[in-house]
Amino acid sequence: MQFLHAAESAILTLRAGEGEGNDRLALQRAFSAVLLEGPSEVARAARKMVDALRADLSWDDLESARAGFVEAARVALQKAGES
């Protein structure tokens, strides 16, 4: 959840052209937590989102990366609930 919040803050900062200087730092911290805590599918989706933000891709590409992360997280949570 922290990663999604940090990523959305970074997207809004890019879109508005302004924002807090710590948005990227918060994103990096949240991304590191996702990498450490897994699962791997969620970490891969988070990496795609971070890469999209760093590459200054289009808003459609950023939204696609965000949707991919959300879906990977939902699937992981569903699997965890079934265990």
Side-chain angles (χ1 to χ4, degrees), residues 14-29:
L14 282 174
R15 188 172 284 168
E18 58 185 50
E20 297 182 29
N22 63 356
D23 285 342
R24 294 238 181 213
L25 179 58
L27 178 63
Q28 186 59 47
R29 284 183 181 151

Side-chain angles (χ1 to χ4, degrees), residues 12-58:
L12 290 173
T13 296
L14 282 174
R15 188 172 284 168
E18 58 185 50
E20 297 182 29
N22 63 356
D23 285 342
R24 294 238 181 213
L25 179 58
L27 178 63
Q28 186 59 47
R29 284 183 181 151
F31 177 55
S32 295
V34 171
L35 291 178
L36 288 172
E37 296 171 8
S40 60
E41 298 85 12
V42 176
R44 274 194 296 277
R47 178 167 301 284
K48 285 183 182 181
M49 193 161 183
V50 168
D51 289 347
L53 282 162
R54 289 180 179 157
D56 268 344
L57 296 181
S58 72

